Amino acid sequence: MPNRRNDELFQLVKSLEKSEKRHFKLFIKRNSGAEDLKIVQLFDAFDKMEEYDEVALLKKNKSIKKQQLSNMKAHLSRQILTSLRLLKDDSNLEMWLNEQMAHARILYSKGLYIQSLKTLEKIKQQAAMYHQHVSLLLALELSKKIELLHVTRSMQDRAEQLSEAVNQVTGKITAQNQLSNLALQMYGWYIKMGHARDQKDVLAVQLFFKTNLPETQVTQLSFYAKMYYYQAHSWYHFILQDLRLFYRYTQKWFDLFIREPDMQQIEPVLFVKAMHNLLSAHFDTNNHDKFVEVLSVFEHFSQSPIAQSSVNIKIQVFMYLYTAEINRHFLEGTFTKGIELIGVIEDKLAQYKAHLDTHRVLVFYYKMACLYFGSGDNGSCIDYLNKIIHQKSDLRTDLQCYARLLHLIAHYELGNMDLLEYLLKSVYRYMANMKNLNLVEEQVFAFLRRSFKLAPGRMIAAFKSLKQQLDKLEKNSLETRSFMYLDIQAWLDSKIRGVPVQKVLRERYLSHQRTKKSKLKPIGGSSSSSGSNSNTKTLHKLPKKGG
């Protein structure tokens, strides 16, 4: 059978843009001998394939022998990467620092010590300006080596200055590493487990976080250390479902990039992540106006050259911008309009299939299922939920659980009574095994079991009774996540009133907007929005090129 496994070189070739492919061809012809041109044939073969198939590759290219293939692929991979490095983006600071460091080492090896030190000074200035502490440390260490082994007379008291600089940078790197490790570990917890499910989870997260959080003064931290400090706290409070503090730290994370706009270009992906998490905080707290404000900044950034500068940034912008666009439809109750996004999202998911992790794809499927559910298309909702349920993955067990619960409710809406008894037992058992059954879910399961025996005339009263019970649980911090994944009250309101879910949410949104406007009526003179802060003014100060 054909070998259709993923191949790293195949993925690399498929990731190249037209300009990069053209540059590679010119690079090979200019720098390789006649014998090396055979790898161009291999490159073209990979480029024409839709899916990696080694048997078909060898069959169509008789001059490529199977015993040569492994070495040819390794050689081709090296040449492609070399070509890409020569075609580097001049705005990429990290690549510039690495290149300059290589130049400094070459000059040093030639015995040109003063020239090497001058190059190192350039590196140190740029690295210090943009908080690139590792590059700064490497430059300082080479400077020490030159001063130690060779008398340059470049500066008096040079040894003391270099030693002090190294100590300062090492301290910053240590703090940055401790906080980045903590941020990564908290994010890993969330990806695997989701929100805290019970008091045992709460205590475990609290103990881990407090044990690993270094004692530090935030004001004394460098840019990156502050960012990781805010990230770690954001994930910590999000896992504990403390949405107020989740919002506070995502705002600090976002503000960090607003105060240092140059860092938006140095770390565009981390800036995108900051906007995404702040948007999530506004969404989870139903803060529509601030959500739209930050979304406007994100949309502006998405059109900037820096947002289009690499495949990696394009993917991040796509994932988080479209997630925010869907969430806006949820907030405004415009589910049917939101369905128009699904075709575009599906195309992008196919385009970036080789680059996207399973977790992100599952989140999109769940949100698309919710769009269909809110619009009343339960059949399409079930189709997308099945993609989650049939995915063999241990990521986001909470998402797997709520996908099954929504799947159950969608079948209930369709009146598939022959399936419901089986699904009730299956979903309940699954959620219990995953330790994902809270009081909210227990109440919903109990209601669905009773509903089989209720006369049609008693259903409205039963829906009202369930809604009253759930309203009492909404303020319980450990029950919050149930309402974050699925707006069960909106569904119950729709059943009580006999209207679509999206009508309930649309009316809720419009009512909130009317209430807000009535509170903002001016009493002589101009009025300003209540609850505004200085961050609102800074949102529109982003450089036109996103950095």
Side-chain angles (χ1 to χ4, degrees):
M1 292 181 64
N3 184 354
R4 299 189 181 277
R5 61 182 169 79
N6 286 331
D7 181 89
E8 292 179 0
L9 177 58
F10 177 74
Q11 292 177 356
L12 175 60
V13 172
K14 288 298 183 181
S15 73
L16 299 178
E17 298 179 359
K18 287 183 178 180
S19 60
E20 293 169 334
K21 293 176 183 178
R22 183 168 58 252
H23 182 267
F24 168 74
K25 294 283 188 72
L26 293 172
F27 168 77
I28 287 294
K29 290 177 182 178
R30 185 170 58 246
N31 296 283
S32 300
E35 67 278 3
D36 289 331
L37 296 182
K38 186 178 284 190
I39 65 171
V40 176
Q41 182 184 352
L42 180 60
F43 176 88
D44 290 335
F46 273 94
D47 193 27
K48 292 175 183 177
M49 296 169 69
E50 292 298 324
E51 187 176 4
Y52 182 70
D53 187 336
E54 191 171 292
V55 173
L57 172 70
L58 294 170
K59 187 175 181 180
K60 291 181 180 179
N61 299 272
K62 301 293 186 182
S63 62
I64 299 176
K65 306 302 180 184
K66 185 171 184 177
Q67 57 269 31
Q68 299 175 320
L69 186 58
S70 179
N71 288 335
M72 287 182 65
K73 286 168 65 176
H75 182 44
L76 175 57
S77 179
R78 286 194 299 271
Q79 295 291 64
I80 291 174
L81 293 174
T82 301
S83 170
L84 290 173
R85 181 170 56 79
L86 293 173
L87 193 65
K88 67 178 178 62
D89 180 2
D90 290 334
S91 66
N92 189 308
L93 177 64
E94 191 173 2
M95 291 182 70
W96 182 87
L97 290 170
N98 290 337
E99 182 181 61
Q100 293 300 308
M101 197 68 206
H103 292 171
R105 293 185 188 281
I106 291 170
L107 291 169
Y108 168 72
S109 69
K110 290 290 184 181
L112 302 172
Y113 309 128
I114 300 300
Q115 293 183 41
S116 180
L117 286 171
K118 286 181 179 179
T119 302
L120 290 170
E121 283 303 314
K122 293 179 185 178
I123 295 171
K124 286 185 275 188
Q125 288 176 9
Q126 292 295 307
M129 185 181 298
Y130 296 111
H131 315 287
Q132 304 299 307
H133 302 311
V134 174
S135 294
L136 179 55
L137 181 60
L138 290 173
L140 286 167
E141 288 295 340
L142 184 53
S143 297
K144 281 171 58 180
K145 187 175 183 180
I146 293 173
E147 296 289 353
L148 183 65
L149 297 178
H150 312 283
V151 180
T152 62
R153 296 190 179 90
S154 57
M155 185 183 294
Q156 292 182 346
D157 303 322
R158 185 74 168 173
E160 290 79 3
Q161 291 182 16
L162 285 172
S163 298
E164 178 60 26
V166 168
N167 289 337
Q168 290 180 5
V169 174
T170 302
K172 290 179 179 179
I173 291 175
T174 299
Q176 181 177 315
N177 285 341
Q178 289 175 331
L179 290 165
S180 65
N181 287 342
L182 180 58
L184 181 62
Q185 288 167 323
M186 297 311 299
Y187 182 60
W189 181 298
Y190 174 69
I191 292 299
K192 186 174 181 179
M193 305 298 295
H195 298 284
R197 297 164 295 183
D198 49 34
Q199 196 60 33
K200 183 180 177 182
D201 275 358
V202 170
L203 293 174
V205 173
Q206 289 176 338
L207 178 62
F208 179 84
F209 186 78
K210 291 174 182 177
T211 301
N212 290 277
L213 181 66
E215 292 185 11
T216 185
Q217 291 291 328
V218 181
T219 55
Q220 303 299 316
L221 296 175
S222 64
F223 175 90
Y224 284 99
K226 282 181 183 176
M227 183 187 67
Y228 292 127
Y229 181 89
Y230 298 146
Q231 280 186 11
H233 279 78
S234 295
W235 287 116
Y236 172 66
H237 292 297
F238 191 57
I239 290 170
L240 296 181
Q241 299 165 81
D242 188 337
L243 300 180
R244 182 178 62 85
L245 288 176
F246 172 58
Y247 157 71
R248 178 182 297 178
Y249 282 101
T250 54
Q251 183 71 59
K252 288 176 182 290
W253 179 0
F254 175 78
D255 289 343
L256 196 61
F257 279 95
I258 298 302
R259 286 194 299 271
E260 296 198 41
D262 287 341
M263 294 304 295
Q264 296 169 22
Q265 183 163 343
I266 303 301
E267 294 290 0
V269 172
L270 292 174
F271 179 50
V272 167
K273 192 79 171 179
M275 288 188 285
H276 164 66
N277 281 280
L278 183 55
L279 284 164
S280 296
H282 287 315
F283 174 71
D284 291 332
T285 54
N286 202 32
N287 192 352
H288 175 269
D289 290 353
K290 290 294 184 183
F291 179 93
V292 172
E293 204 170 317
V294 179
L295 180 56
S296 177
V297 176
F298 197 174
E299 289 171 337
H300 175 78
F301 177 81
S302 71
Q303 299 302 314
S304 66
I306 188 63
Q308 305 297 320
S309 61
S310 73
V311 173
N312 181 37
I313 300 172
K314 288 179 183 178
I315 292 170
Q316 303 299 315
V317 169
F318 153 66
M319 289 192 306
Y320 297 126
L321 185 58
Y322 276 91
T323 296
E325 296 288 0
I326 292 176
N327 285 345
R328 182 173 185 173
H329 288 294
F330 290 160
L331 285 173
E332 298 178 359
T334 51
F335 290 77
T336 300
K337 187 177 180 182
I339 289 172
E340 296 173 7
L341 295 172
I342 291 179
V344 179
I345 294 172
E346 288 279 23
D347 290 343
K348 290 289 186 181
L349 289 176
Q351 179 183 348
Y352 297 133
K353 182 179 179 181
H355 307 281
L356 291 172
D357 60 81
T358 304
H359 165 247
R360 286 294 158 203
V361 176
L362 294 182
V363 170
F364 268 122
Y365 286 159
Y366 187 77
K367 288 188 175 294
M368 289 189 279
C370 288
L371 281 175
Y372 278 118
F373 180 76
S375 70
D377 187 347
N378 292 290
S380 296
C381 170
I382 289 170
D383 289 340
Y384 278 96
L385 292 173
N386 280 334
K387 294 182 179 184
I388 301 173
I389 294 168
H390 297 150
Q391 174 69 47
K392 294 180 180 179
S393 172
D394 60 352
L395 293 174
R396 294 295 299 274
T397 55
D398 56 340
L399 192 62
Q400 288 282 352
C401 288
Y402 287 103
R404 283 166 169 77
L405 182 58
L406 182 57
H407 182 261
L408 175 63
I409 293 173
H411 276 291
Y412 181 88
E413 285 289 280
L414 289 172
N416 294 331
M417 296 304 172
D418 53 331
L419 280 174
L420 283 175
E421 188 172 354
Y422 164 75
L423 286 175
L424 264 170
K425 293 178 181 178
S426 174
V427 176
Y428 185 89
R429 190 184 309 113
Y430 182 88
M431 294 184 74
N433 289 339
M434 294 294 109
K435 297 181 181 179
N436 218 91
L437 272 177
N438 285 6
L439 292 174
V440 171
E441 290 83 37
E442 291 280 12
Q443 295 280 11
V444 172
F445 280 115
F447 163 80
L448 291 173
R449 290 191 197 97
R450 290 196 305 271
S451 68
F452 295 145
K453 303 174 184 178
L454 290 176
R458 297 179 60 189
M459 287 302 298
I460 299 298
F463 280 120
K464 288 180 178 179
S465 176
L466 176 59
K467 187 174 185 303
Q468 289 171 359
Q469 294 172 38
L470 297 186
D471 286 343
K472 294 175 183 177
L473 295 172
E474 193 170 9
K475 294 182 180 179
N476 184 327
S477 61
L478 288 176
E479 302 298 328
T480 304
R481 67 185 181 135
S482 302
F483 303 107
M484 290 169 65
Y485 283 97
L486 181 62
D487 195 337
I488 300 175
Q489 288 107 318
W491 174 60
L492 294 173
D493 274 338
S494 76
K495 302 304 290 182
I496 293 167
R497 295 172 52 196
V499 297
V501 171
Q502 70 176 336
K503 184 174 183 180
V504 172
L505 291 173
R506 183 64 179 169
E507 289 176 356
R508 185 192 296 177
Y509 162 72
L510 294 174
S511 174
H512 176 74
Q513 293 298 100
R514 286 193 296 269
T515 301
K516 182 189 64 184
K517 286 180 181 178
S518 67
K519 291 180 180 179
L520 296 177
K521 286 183 179 178
I523 306 176
S526 61
S527 65
S528 61
S529 174
S530 62
S532 64
N533 55 44
S534 60
N535 295 326
T536 305
K537 296 179 181 178
T538 63
L539 287 175
H540 305 290
K541 291 184 178 180
L542 291 177
K544 290 183 179 179
K545 293 186 178 181

